[in-house]
Amino acid sequence: MAERLKWWQKTVVCEIYMRSFNDTDGDGIGDLNGVTQKLDYLKKLGVGAIWLTPCCKSPQADNGYDVADYCAIDEMFGSMADMDRLIEEARRRGIRIVMDLVFNHTSDQHPWFLESSSSRDNDKSDWYIWRDAKPDGSAPTNWRGIFGGSAWTWCEARGQYYLHTFLKEQPDLNWANPKVRRALFDAAQFWVDKGVGGFRLDAITYIRKPAFSDAAPDAGDGLSAIHPVTANTPGILDYLHEFKAAVLDGTDLFTVGEANGVSAAELPEWVGRDGVFDMVFEFSHVLIDLENEADWSSARPWQLKDLKRILRDSQENTAADGWYAIFFENHDMPRCVDHFFPDTADQDSAARIIATLMMTLRGTPFLYQGQELGLHNVVWDDISAYNDVSTRNHYAFLIEEGHSEEEAMHAVHRFSRDSARTPMPWHAGESAGFTDGTPWLPVNPDYPVRNAAAEEQDPDSVLCWYRALAAIRSKHAVFTEGGFEEILQEHSQIYAYIRRTKDAEAIILTNWSEEEASYDPALIEGAALLISTEGIKNQRGRLAPLEAVIYLR
Ligand code: GLC
């Protein structure tokens, strides 16, 4: 590869869910000092950047994704001095901090919204999306918000409705107003000046609104999901080019956009040389098991060949020009072992297969806290045990649509965001070592066996496999610089590909089935075994059930 890679192309990013990582003040909620305390743990995982979920001032209607001040730390997570210390301590270890910019909406408690909603004529009257009611007094359109219910809420003081793609506590900003864009860019600049290493742009594909008209109802409530209407509408890239020029040009920060609604085919214009971001999270592979992401009853079966096709598309569409963000789980989705291997008994081996893809596909790995331990979904019997507002709303929607309680709970167990939000299990002691107090969300009950301290001691653990792969990835340039070529495309058990530079080839083979699998050993002729989940038991031309192996030549 002619061009030199940038620092963020050669590193591993770890997403930290602030509330659940590590609590140092006993309030049962994670904090910034808790992250600082665990920097060495992250360093050992090869992590060079930490994406913190929102820690700015927030009423927490959506656990921080409802920001009331972009330039202040919420007391629950600590102080600005704690943040400065985290940035500095991380920097000393070669780790950069990445902030989550929630720029599609603010909290309804943000001073901008308080002012905007106070009357029709104030300085910020058009900072949000205000519309008159329909002649019959109902909402301006029949759009259903992503978390359920109408996407419009009535405001008495203005006698108008405001739009919220998510909760009513998360009013959408009006990006068409240049003053709004300026204010947001200034907030981003505040963090650039603090010395952060990059930004994740939350829900960024929703910022440009289309014409306001009804869409055909898609469920018994007469509403129509907002996502297909407002995500990634024409002209959105103009706003984002402006953001890039104002805040990022000339810096070495990276950006990753949460790009729900962007297809693999569209990746080049988002992340190509002239794209708006360095990377985006593109969701096709994680939506493989849902027909309609707004409806958890639309689960669909899938096969390895479907996943291969999706990954091939995103790898190929970022091959010539662009870069891919590799992820298999985050704070909005189930744990990846349950997600991608729901019927596999040996879940640790399943976790190691995903680890292998994470560290060897072409792109930057975005690891989510606890994924490196092979953590699992939680299965709580009662919906009242769930904290996440979207889980509760999805559940209510399913019941409303006539599904039984059992069916609705089955969907919750499968798709709830809380599964990935349980506190990090650090050791087998009280509250898994996460807190001295009462954790805000219960710890996964398997913590006495599945925790960081236990896995550190066990060379066969998922954690040690991740560490080994991260070390391999940073040692051999082929994993970062090499091109991607899929092999054994028609094989029903094996997912395999070659990473290639002019000097080296790495051949990655993973067996997704619980049966032994075979392939033509000529594929690895002249290559030496680099690592295998079977260790020296690895046989050329054969893969043990759920084996992952890498050869190098
Ligand atoms: C993004 C976040 C999610 C949040 C939503 C609204 O999808 O990842 O957690 O609820 O945006 O901000």
Side-chain angles (χ1 to χ4, degrees), residues 97-117:
I97 298 298
V98 174
M99 296 298 279
D100 201 330
L101 297 180
V102 188
F103 278 2
N104 173 66
H105 44 267
T106 65
S107 159
D108 63 347
Q109 299 306 308
H110 194 295
W112 299 343
F113 186 74
L114 295 178
E115 184 175 347
S116 188
S117 60

Short mmCIF file of all heavy atoms in Angstrom, two decimals, residues 97-117:
data_model
loop_
_atom_site.label_atom_id
_atom_site.label_comp_id
_atom_site.label_asym_id
_atom_site.label_seq_id
_atom_site.Cartn_x
_atom_site.Cartn_y
_atom_site.Cartn_z
N ILE A 97 -8.45 9.36 23.77
CA ILE A 97 -9.86 9.33 24.19
C ILE A 97 -10.75 9.82 23.04
O ILE A 97 -10.45 10.83 22.42
CB ILE A 97 -10.07 10.21 25.45
CG1 ILE A 97 -9.23 9.68 26.62
CG2 ILE A 97 -11.55 10.29 25.83
CD1 ILE A 97 -9.57 8.27 27.09
N VAL A 98 -11.81 9.09 22.80
CA VAL A 98 -12.73 9.41 21.71
C VAL A 98 -14.09 9.77 22.31
O VAL A 98 -14.64 9.02 23.11
CB VAL A 98 -12.87 8.19 20.77
CG1 VAL A 98 -13.95 8.44 19.72
CG2 VAL A 98 -11.53 7.88 20.12
N MET A 99 -14.59 10.95 21.95
CA MET A 99 -15.86 11.40 22.51
C MET A 99 -17.03 11.04 21.60
O MET A 99 -16.89 11.00 20.38
CB MET A 99 -15.84 12.92 22.73
CG MET A 99 -14.83 13.39 23.74
SD MET A 99 -15.12 12.73 25.40
CE MET A 99 -16.39 13.86 25.99
N ASP A 100 -18.17 10.81 22.22
CA ASP A 100 -19.39 10.45 21.52
C ASP A 100 -20.20 11.73 21.35
O ASP A 100 -20.70 12.28 22.33
CB ASP A 100 -20.16 9.44 22.40
CG ASP A 100 -21.15 8.60 21.65
OD1 ASP A 100 -21.69 9.10 20.66
OD2 ASP A 100 -21.40 7.46 22.09
N LEU A 101 -20.29 12.25 20.14
CA LEU A 101 -21.02 13.50 19.93
C LEU A 101 -22.47 13.20 19.55
O LEU A 101 -22.73 12.60 18.52
CB LEU A 101 -20.35 14.32 18.82
CG LEU A 101 -18.93 14.79 19.08
CD1 LEU A 101 -18.42 15.60 17.88
CD2 LEU A 101 -18.83 15.63 20.36
N VAL A 102 -23.37 13.62 20.42
CA VAL A 102 -24.80 13.37 20.19
C VAL A 102 -25.37 14.64 19.58
O VAL A 102 -25.85 15.52 20.29
CB VAL A 102 -25.51 13.01 21.51
CG1 VAL A 102 -26.92 12.55 21.24
CG2 VAL A 102 -24.73 11.92 22.25
N PHE A 103 -25.29 14.73 18.26
CA PHE A 103 -25.60 15.98 17.58
C PHE A 103 -26.91 15.97 16.79
O PHE A 103 -27.25 16.97 16.18
CB PHE A 103 -24.44 16.36 16.63
CG PHE A 103 -23.28 17.05 17.31
CD1 PHE A 103 -23.26 17.29 18.68
CD2 PHE A 103 -22.19 17.49 16.56
CE1 PHE A 103 -22.19 17.94 19.29
CE2 PHE A 103 -21.12 18.15 17.16
CZ PHE A 103 -21.12 18.38 18.52
N ASN A 104 -27.60 14.85 16.77
CA ASN A 104 -28.90 14.88 16.09
C ASN A 104 -29.95 15.57 16.96
O ASN A 104 -30.89 16.18 16.45
CB ASN A 104 -29.37 13.46 15.78
CG ASN A 104 -30.79 13.42 15.21
OD1 ASN A 104 -31.02 13.93 14.12
ND2 ASN A 104 -31.73 12.89 15.99
N HIS A 105 -29.75 15.44 18.29
CA HIS A 105 -30.74 15.96 19.22
C HIS A 105 -30.03 16.40 20.50
O HIS A 105 -28.86 16.07 20.70
CB HIS A 105 -31.77 14.87 19.57
CG HIS A 105 -31.13 13.53 19.84
ND1 HIS A 105 -30.95 12.58 18.85
CD2 HIS A 105 -30.60 12.98 20.96
CE1 HIS A 105 -30.35 11.51 19.36
NE2 HIS A 105 -30.12 11.73 20.64
N THR A 106 -30.75 17.14 21.36
CA THR A 106 -30.23 17.45 22.69
C THR A 106 -31.22 16.84 23.69
O THR A 106 -32.19 16.20 23.30
CB THR A 106 -30.17 18.97 22.95
OG1 THR A 106 -31.51 19.47 22.96
CG2 THR A 106 -29.34 19.69 21.92
N SER A 107 -30.96 17.10 24.95
CA SER A 107 -31.97 16.81 25.97
C SER A 107 -33.05 17.89 25.91
O SER A 107 -32.78 19.02 25.47
CB SER A 107 -31.29 16.85 27.34
OG SER A 107 -32.26 17.06 28.35
N ASP A 108 -34.24 17.56 26.36
CA ASP A 108 -35.26 18.61 26.45
C ASP A 108 -34.95 19.57 27.60
O ASP A 108 -35.63 20.57 27.77
CB ASP A 108 -36.68 18.01 26.57
CG ASP A 108 -36.86 17.20 27.85
OD1 ASP A 108 -35.85 16.88 28.52
OD2 ASP A 108 -38.02 16.88 28.18
N GLN A 109 -33.90 19.24 28.38
CA GLN A 109 -33.47 20.14 29.46
C GLN A 109 -32.29 21.01 29.03
O GLN A 109 -31.76 21.79 29.82
CB GLN A 109 -33.09 19.35 30.71
CG GLN A 109 -34.24 18.53 31.29
CD GLN A 109 -35.46 19.39 31.55
OE1 GLN A 109 -35.36 20.42 32.20
NE2 GLN A 109 -36.60 18.99 31.00
N HIS A 110 -31.82 20.88 27.81
CA HIS A 110 -30.73 21.74 27.34
C HIS A 110 -31.25 23.18 27.28
O HIS A 110 -32.38 23.41 26.82
CB HIS A 110 -30.28 21.28 25.94
CG HIS A 110 -28.97 21.86 25.52
ND1 HIS A 110 -28.80 23.21 25.31
CD2 HIS A 110 -27.76 21.28 25.32
CE1 HIS A 110 -27.53 23.45 24.97
NE2 HIS A 110 -26.88 22.28 24.97
N PRO A 111 -30.44 24.16 27.73
CA PRO A 111 -30.90 25.55 27.68
C PRO A 111 -31.38 25.97 26.29
O PRO A 111 -32.31 26.78 26.18
CB PRO A 111 -29.65 26.35 28.09
CG PRO A 111 -28.78 25.38 28.83
CD PRO A 111 -29.12 24.01 28.35
N TRP A 112 -30.78 25.42 25.24
CA TRP A 112 -31.26 25.77 23.88
C TRP A 112 -32.72 25.39 23.71
O TRP A 112 -33.51 26.12 23.15
CB TRP A 112 -30.45 25.05 22.79
CG TRP A 112 -28.99 25.34 22.78
CD1 TRP A 112 -28.34 26.38 23.38
CD2 TRP A 112 -27.98 24.57 22.10
NE1 TRP A 112 -26.99 26.30 23.12
CE2 TRP A 112 -26.75 25.22 22.34
CE3 TRP A 112 -27.99 23.41 21.32
CZ2 TRP A 112 -25.54 24.73 21.83
CZ3 TRP A 112 -26.80 22.94 20.80
CH2 TRP A 112 -25.58 23.59 21.06
N PHE A 113 -33.08 24.20 24.19
CA PHE A 113 -34.46 23.75 24.00
C PHE A 113 -35.39 24.50 24.94
O PHE A 113 -36.52 24.86 24.57
CB PHE A 113 -34.60 22.24 24.20
CG PHE A 113 -35.98 21.75 23.85
CD1 PHE A 113 -36.38 21.65 22.52
CD2 PHE A 113 -36.90 21.41 24.84
CE1 PHE A 113 -37.66 21.22 22.18
CE2 PHE A 113 -38.19 20.98 24.51
CZ PHE A 113 -38.57 20.89 23.17
N LEU A 114 -34.91 24.76 26.16
CA LEU A 114 -35.77 25.50 27.10
C LEU A 114 -36.14 26.84 26.50
O LEU A 114 -37.30 27.27 26.54
CB LEU A 114 -35.06 25.66 28.45
CG LEU A 114 -34.78 24.35 29.21
CD1 LEU A 114 -34.04 24.63 30.51
CD2 LEU A 114 -36.08 23.59 29.49
N GLU A 115 -35.17 27.47 25.86
CA GLU A 115 -35.46 28.77 25.24
C GLU A 115 -36.36 28.59 24.01
O GLU A 115 -37.38 29.27 23.86
CB GLU A 115 -34.14 29.46 24.86
CG GLU A 115 -34.36 30.86 24.31
CD GLU A 115 -33.06 31.62 24.04
OE1 GLU A 115 -31.99 31.18 24.50
OE2 GLU A 115 -33.15 32.65 23.35
N SER A 116 -35.98 27.66 23.16
CA SER A 116 -36.72 27.45 21.92
C SER A 116 -38.19 27.12 22.17
O SER A 116 -39.07 27.53 21.41
CB SER A 116 -36.06 26.34 21.11
OG SER A 116 -36.62 26.23 19.84
N SER A 117 -38.44 26.38 23.24
CA SER A 117 -39.81 25.91 23.50
C SER A 117 -40.63 26.92 24.30
O SER A 117 -41.81 26.70 24.55
CB SER A 117 -39.77 24.57 24.25
OG SER A 117 -39.09 24.73 25.47
#
